[in-house]
Amino acid sequence: MSAVMQAPAPMAAVGETAAKTPFLRMDNVARHFGSLKAVDGVTFEMRAGEMRAVIGPNGAGKTTFFNLISGLLPPTAGQVIFEGESITQQTIVHRVAKGIVRTFQITEILPDLSVFENIRVGVETAEKLNSKPWISRSERERVNQRVTELMDIVHLRNKANRTVGELAHGDQRVVEVAVALSLKPRLLLLDEPTAGMGDTETDHMVDLVRRLHQEQGMSILFIEHDMDIVFGIAQHITVLDQGRVLADGTPEAVSNDPKVRAAYLGSIE
Amino acid sequence: MELLLFNAFNGLIQGVFYALMALGLALILSLNSVINMAHGGFLVIGAYLAYTLTPYLGFWGALIAGPILAGGIGLIVERILIRPVYKRVDPIYSLLLTFGLALIIEDLTRTIWGPQGLPLEVPDVINSPVSDVYFFITGYRLFVIGITAAAAIGLYLLLRYTLLGIRIRAGTRDLETTAALGVNIYKLRAFNFAFGCIFAGLAGVLAAGVLGLTPPMGNSLIMPSFVAIIIGGVGSLFGAVLGGLIIGLAAGLVTTYYPAASEAVIYLMMLIVLVVRPRGLFGEEGLFE
Amino acid sequence: MTRIVGIAVMWLALLALPWWLPLIGGYTALGSKVLIYAIATMGLNLVLGFTGGLSFGQAAYFGLGAYGAGMTLKYLAPSTPLAIVIGTVVGGLAATVLGPLVMRRRGIYFAMITIAIGQLFYFVMVRWNEVTGGEDGLAGFARQDIHLGLLNVPISSSGTAFYYLVLLCFTVAVAVMWTVLQSPLGHTWVAIRENRRRMEFLGIRVERYVWAAFAIAGTITAFAGTLNAMLFNFASPQDLHWILSGNFVIMIVLGGMRSFFGPLIGVIIFVVAQDYLSSVTDNWMTFIGLIFVCIVLLFPRGVLGIFRRAEAV
């Protein structure tokens, strides 16, 4: 049984069932930089177990949007609510502890270490073992087992001892996903997962993301520019434009929305 | 009281040497991103070459030639030894390199000129006491202050108003962008390093007039210069100068009451600054952090 | 597999050292010195190579250990174990107390502060004439035999017996360091070296870990210092000098700073070279300086680094 599966969401209030509590909700969230309104009154809701894409032209505010969810920036206005709890003022570290893990924002690999060692750092951090100068044999076994599990999920077991710094870009990114998984995320934020990748590497990453959603039941929110990928795997699409939500719905609804077509998709169709 | 003034003044002079050294060190630290452990070596080079050239050029000629030669050797060192390690990510390599250079310079100096102390001939015209009461305020010491002030002001004017100076300042802020703008950063770094060495050489010649010459003199002046930079704040040339003066003065004052602690007090002051105001007096926040 | 064989061979060689080293022109005390420096540098390497902190003032803790042990034997009690403990604690305490000043810095700034701290201790010890003997160093003490019940270990008279004490200490220190480096703490240190920012994002209080590494390294180096004082029955200002600090670092780089036993290899080469050079020429300091320069320019990964996976320099 995979340990990556997320536990059911907690009860938010008496009388509300877990299914009704929105997993992630942004209430009229805004983020201004002086007079620049990077995110301008976004209301957004996501359900647990969803595979959702965030798209939009350059400068639409997608990265700032992610920053508000991951905790890199506090909003200028509005609230961010995760599993019924307001996390608006919480730092990245707190949000990671709550299960919001973002990957591909900064370089995350430890280049001189092997794939195994990279993932092990994530596992040890998740298990809060970092400060221990000694652990028992059984604990060590447990850690190693978990690392192997994660390598299996991302299909990197055959490269376990390879130095990550020497791997191809696509594999390095897969390692980053594995490390993110080791932190037991409840919500995975993927920031342009296929950026800089060739065709084969892109296929691998898309396959991985799909499997994470379908086999592990992971809730995934991802930014992507490649429309083939977006329409290939997303259950739900949010379109941002100039800091606002332009459209929000199923792939068919979004692709048929005239506003979206006008702003963005027209050239792709 | 007279003893206090005596020590304070001597401390100030010492502080002037520290300031001069710190200024050169700080220059090299900001642009070349190198801790020049061999800086004391360039001080020694300047001093000993001045000593050797004095019979031919006189004091004034040696005063000019010593630092310039130190700068010239600095150029060579930068080209051959330092340039290959700029691209190394880990600063340990430049540290070890200059460290080794410091050992070599000290030893070669000892071999060429001998381990005993040597005097530097200072013209009588500037060496006489200026006041009957305060006999220790010799003309030479005032001269040292004057030259150092002139050098510092000269550097300030260079950095402020010349193209080279502006480029150096730009490079200190953002080397990549400066290079992208078409500036030849290789030449820039070479000149900057040479300037730093010129200052070290100047400190050497001036110090030799007060303290005489010994092979380890450079290495004993370099450590307080580090402290001067830490106290003054990394990234600030003015801070480096002020830091040097402050610690010199403090050491001088402490000598009056508790001579054994006169060096240790310098490092104690550094600790205090690190606890109370970690970025130093004029340092920029977040540097190297 | 080759690794285990290599380590076994190494240990056998160390055990038999008093027998074979004199045969090739060495002497047992040289072996003691090598092991002592190896303990000191392997401790330093916890910070330098494994956590990535440029600690360039480690001699301070070595010297504190040496003086601590010497002063214990001279003024306190004629007990070798006590001297070792006190010296180690003094050095370790200094590193622990000063750690917070150092732990927040990175790169060159870290180095500068460690250098300056080293100088502080140098001047305190060198000028404190009445207690430490000042520039002449601390003499007038000698290591004492160790009495374990009925057994008397004659280290005061026998250099060979003392060597085996040092070897025992080396083994203990190595075991401790190896264990820590294989633990999550050790893994975290390396992760900090590789990508500090990433670890901060993961919620790791990186400063604390750097502090721990610095404190532990200082303690181990001080431990080596105590043995050094007892090897020569003398503690000298040179034990605190910045040149020794630099020598420690070059020994580590020479052997390979990313390898566990790198420092040991570096120490062997350096100590032997220095011993030979100083007997052959007055300009040994120039040659040592040249060693520094050549290693940096030509062999930055060190001896063992050649065998490891390629890493960016």
Side-chain angles (χ1 to χ4, degrees):
Chain A
M1 188 61 223
S2 168
V4 176
M5 194 84 134
Q6 43 184 29
M11 295 292 200
V14 174
E16 284 192 56
T17 63
K20 277 226 203 112
T21 309
F23 185 60
L24 174 67
R25 194 166 103 230
M26 319 260 283
D27 258 346
N28 210 17
V29 165
R31 174 70 208 186
H32 300 170
F33 297 102
S35 56
L36 172 67
K37 297 180 181 158
V39 170
D40 188 18
V42 162
T43 297
F44 167 91
E45 245 181 55
M46 179 177 173
R47 289 204 304 275
E50 238 183 59
M51 170 84 94
R52 192 189 201 111
V54 175
I55 67 175
N58 282 332
K62 305 189 291 295
T63 304
T64 312
F65 180 71
F66 257 35
N67 287 343
L68 293 169
I69 301 175
S70 75
L72 189 62
L73 291 174
T76 325
Q79 281 209 68
V80 181
I81 299 163
F82 181 64
E83 294 190 317
E85 188 190 335
S86 171
I87 60 167
T88 316
Q89 298 306 326
Q90 284 186 10
T91 61
I92 297 179
V93 172
H94 278 129
R95 299 190 197 194
V96 168
K98 289 266 181 297
I100 301 179
V101 177
R102 176 185 182 173
T103 198
F104 306 137
Q105 177 197 359
I106 60 167
T107 311
E108 290 164 11
I109 57 166
L110 312 173
D112 195 38
L113 304 184
S114 69
V115 171
F116 186 91
E117 287 163 344
N118 265 261
I119 300 176
R120 182 173 60 188
V121 169
V123 172
E124 285 176 349
T125 306
E127 301 291 321
K128 302 205 185 310
L129 293 174
N130 300 90
S131 58
K132 293 195 186 231
W134 181 84
I135 54 173
S136 67
R137 197 193 200 110
S138 61
E139 279 181 298
R140 197 181 288 273
E141 295 276 316
R142 207 159 48 93
V143 167
N144 291 346
Q145 217 169 34
R146 180 94 165 88
V147 176
T148 312
E149 234 173 60
L150 289 165
M151 288 195 296
D152 281 335
I153 291 173
V154 302
H155 293 177
L156 267 187
R157 192 156 171 191
N158 56 327
K159 298 185 182 156
N161 292 320
R162 294 279 305 277
T163 307
V164 172
E166 292 175 331
L167 291 179
H169 176 63
D171 280 342
Q172 287 182 346
R173 292 208 133 193
V174 171
V175 170
E176 292 184 44
V177 173
V179 174
L181 290 177
S182 71
L183 300 174
K184 300 190 189 148
R186 304 171 67 74
L187 168 62
L188 199 53
L189 303 173
L190 300 177
D191 203 335
E192 301 191 35
T194 63
M197 286 195 196
D199 286 339
T200 325
E201 294 178 327
T202 302
D203 288 341
H204 281 149
M205 179 60 76
V206 170
D207 181 60
L208 172 58
V209 174
R210 181 186 287 119
R211 278 187 295 110
L212 286 178
H213 176 241
Q214 288 173 350
E215 293 166 18
Q216 312 290 333
M218 184 66 58
S219 311
I220 300 176
L221 185 62
F222 68 100
I223 296 177
E224 189 42 80
H225 283 121
D226 186 330
M227 287 305 126
D228 289 332
I229 297 175
V230 171
F231 284 96
I233 57 173
Q235 291 176 322
H236 202 113
I237 302 179
T238 300
V239 185
L240 293 181
D241 188 25
Q242 295 182 339
R244 294 206 187 91
V245 175
L246 190 61
D248 192 343
T250 62
E252 301 83 68
V254 163
S255 65
N256 289 327
D257 186 321
K259 287 180 303 188
V260 173
R261 285 186 168 217
Y264 187 35
L265 276 181
S267 51
I268 308 294
E269 244 1 284
Chain B
M1 182 57 187
E2 167 126 338
L3 186 64
L4 184 65
L5 277 180
F6 173 73
N7 282 322
F9 188 70
N10 279 342
L12 185 66
I13 299 299
Q14 196 76 359
V16 165
F17 296 136
Y18 295 152
L20 211 47
M21 281 289 271
L23 196 52
L25 256 182
L27 261 180
I28 295 176
L29 189 61
S30 348
L31 184 68
N32 303 63
S33 299
V34 167
I35 298 184
N36 188 16
M37 297 292 290
H39 209 63
F42 290 101
L43 179 149
V44 161
I45 288 175
Y48 274 87
L49 286 179
Y51 168 82
T52 305
L53 292 172
T54 303
Y56 305 98
L57 301 176
F59 173 78
W60 300 101
L63 179 65
I64 297 176
I68 302 233
L69 285 172
I73 294 180
L75 269 180
I76 299 174
V77 162
E78 194 269 346
R79 181 69 188 82
I80 301 181
L81 295 181
I82 315 248
R83 198 175 290 192
V85 296
Y86 283 135
K87 59 178 179 293
R88 306 248 185 112
V89 172
D90 198 336
I92 194 178
Y93 297 108
S94 59
L95 250 183
L96 287 175
L97 192 66
T98 51
F99 190 101
L101 193 59
L103 295 179
I104 295 174
I105 293 178
E106 183 179 322
D107 199 45
L108 288 182
T109 305
R110 197 181 353 255
T111 305
I112 298 176
W113 281 280
Q116 71 281 11
L118 297 171
L120 185 70
E121 299 286 333
V122 175
D124 284 333
V125 70
I126 49 173
N127 205 9
S128 40
V130 159
S131 140
D132 284 330
V133 179
Y134 302 114
F135 64 92
F136 46 86
I137 306 184
T138 62
Y140 184 73
R141 287 175 155 90
L142 289 178
F143 173 71
V144 164
I145 297 178
I147 292 283
T148 304
I153 292 174
L155 182 67
Y156 171 74
L157 293 174
L158 180 111
L159 287 176
R160 190 87 197 273
Y161 296 114
T162 69
L163 189 58
L164 178 62
I166 292 172
R167 285 175 174 165
I168 288 178
R169 277 165 44 215
T172 306
R173 290 255 165 270
D174 189 336
L175 195 62
E176 256 184 78
T177 307
T178 308
L181 288 173
V183 173
N184 184 342
I185 57 170
Y186 293 98
K187 272 211 229 159
L188 202 63
R189 285 188 292 211
F191 275 126
N192 191 64
F193 193 83
F195 281 139
C197 294
I198 289 177
F199 275 86
L202 182 63
V205 179
L206 294 175
V210 175
L211 307 168
L213 297 116
T214 58
M217 69 190 283
N219 290 332
S220 61
L221 277 176
I222 194 182
M223 290 301 172
S225 310
F226 279 158
V227 176
I229 292 179
I230 293 174
I231 290 182
V234 174
S236 165
L237 295 180
F238 179 66
V241 169
L242 198 63
L245 294 174
I246 290 176
I247 61 178
L249 205 55
L253 291 172
V254 166
T255 307
T256 314
Y257 304 107
Y258 198 12
S262 59
E263 292 117 335
V265 80
I266 293 176
Y267 300 98
L268 203 60
M269 283 176 66
M270 175 201 74
L271 283 185
I272 295 174
V273 167
L274 283 175
V275 170
V276 166
R277 192 182 160 93
R279 63 179 136 114
L281 294 173
F282 298 99
E284 296 158 32
E285 240 173 309
L287 263 191
F288 299 120
E289 287 171 34
Chain C
M1 192 54 215
T2 30
R3 205 173 185 208
I4 299 182
V5 169
I7 293 182
V9 166
M10 178 191 86
W11 239 279
L12 287 172
L14 288 175
L15 274 171
L17 184 139
W19 175 76
W20 60 262
L21 190 58
L23 293 178
I24 57 172
Y27 46 99
T28 305
L30 189 64
S32 296
K33 182 172 178 184
V34 164
L35 287 182
I36 287 172
Y37 275 23
I39 297 173
T41 51
M42 287 173 81
L44 168 57
N45 206 27
L46 292 179
V47 175
L48 189 71
F50 288 99
T51 308
L54 218 51
S55 184
F56 236 80
Q58 200 72 357
Y61 314 105
F62 188 78
L64 284 173
Y67 275 89
M71 293 201 281
T72 304
L73 284 170
K74 184 166 181 175
Y75 301 124
L76 209 58
S79 159
T80 295
L82 188 65
I84 294 179
V85 167
I86 291 186
T88 306
V89 166
V90 168
L93 209 60
T96 307
V97 165
L98 292 169
L101 292 177
V102 163
M103 69 186 190
R104 287 188 195 97
R105 326 294 177 189
R106 305 177 64 180
I108 326 181
Y109 206 14
F110 187 100
M112 280 174 69
I113 295 179
T114 59
I115 292 173
I117 290 176
Q119 284 301 98
L120 172 66
F121 283 115
Y122 175 79
F123 281 112
V124 165
M125 298 311 252
V126 156
R127 296 284 177 243
W128 201 4
N129 286 333
E130 319 83 53
V131 170
T132 65
E135 298 227 8
D136 298 326
L138 185 73
F141 66 90
R143 58 183 186 259
Q144 301 294 312
D145 291 347
I146 298 179
H147 312 286
L148 301 168
L150 296 171
L151 182 66
N152 182 42
V153 186
I155 60 172
S156 66
S157 46
S158 163
T160 306
F162 183 68
Y163 168 78
Y164 282 111
L165 174 66
V166 172
L167 181 57
L168 177 67
C169 292
F170 175 73
T171 310
V172 167
V174 163
V176 167
M177 287 189 277
W178 178 257
T179 307
V180 171
L181 284 173
Q182 298 300 307
S183 75
L185 176 61
H187 297 154
T188 307
W189 281 339
V190 173
I192 289 173
R193 176 194 82 205
E194 290 292 298
N195 195 335
R196 184 178 179 130
R197 226 181 131 205
R198 170 61 169 155
M199 297 309 285
E200 280 168 352
F201 272 35
L202 285 180
I204 303 293
R205 315 266 295 266
V206 167
E207 289 173 1
R208 295 258 176 106
Y209 287 81
V210 173
W211 185 8
F214 194 76
I216 294 174
T219 308
I220 294 175
T221 302
F223 180 54
T226 65
L227 296 173
N228 198 65
M230 293 193 298
L231 173 63
F232 298 109
N233 287 332
F234 182 63
S236 112
Q238 301 310 309
D239 296 336
L240 297 152
H241 202 273
W242 57 271
I243 290 185
L244 183 61
S245 290
N247 287 347
F248 281 159
V249 176
I250 199 67
M251 288 185 240
I252 293 175
V253 174
L254 172 52
M257 61 178 173
R258 300 274 172 101
S259 308
F260 183 71
F261 281 113
L264 174 62
I265 305 291
V267 166
I268 292 173
I269 298 175
F270 189 88
V271 167
V272 167
Q274 191 176 40
D275 204 57
Y276 171 71
L277 285 170
S278 56
S279 67
V280 157
T281 166
D282 276 338
N283 288 113
W284 56 272
M285 203 163 143
T286 301
F287 285 102
I288 299 292
L290 281 172
I291 290 178
F292 274 70
V293 172
C294 289
I295 290 169
V296 168
L297 292 180
L298 305 171
F299 303 110
R301 295 217 311 264
V303 171
L304 289 187
I306 298 176
F307 298 112
R308 290 189 74 241
R309 323 185 269 248
E311 75 228 27
V313 162

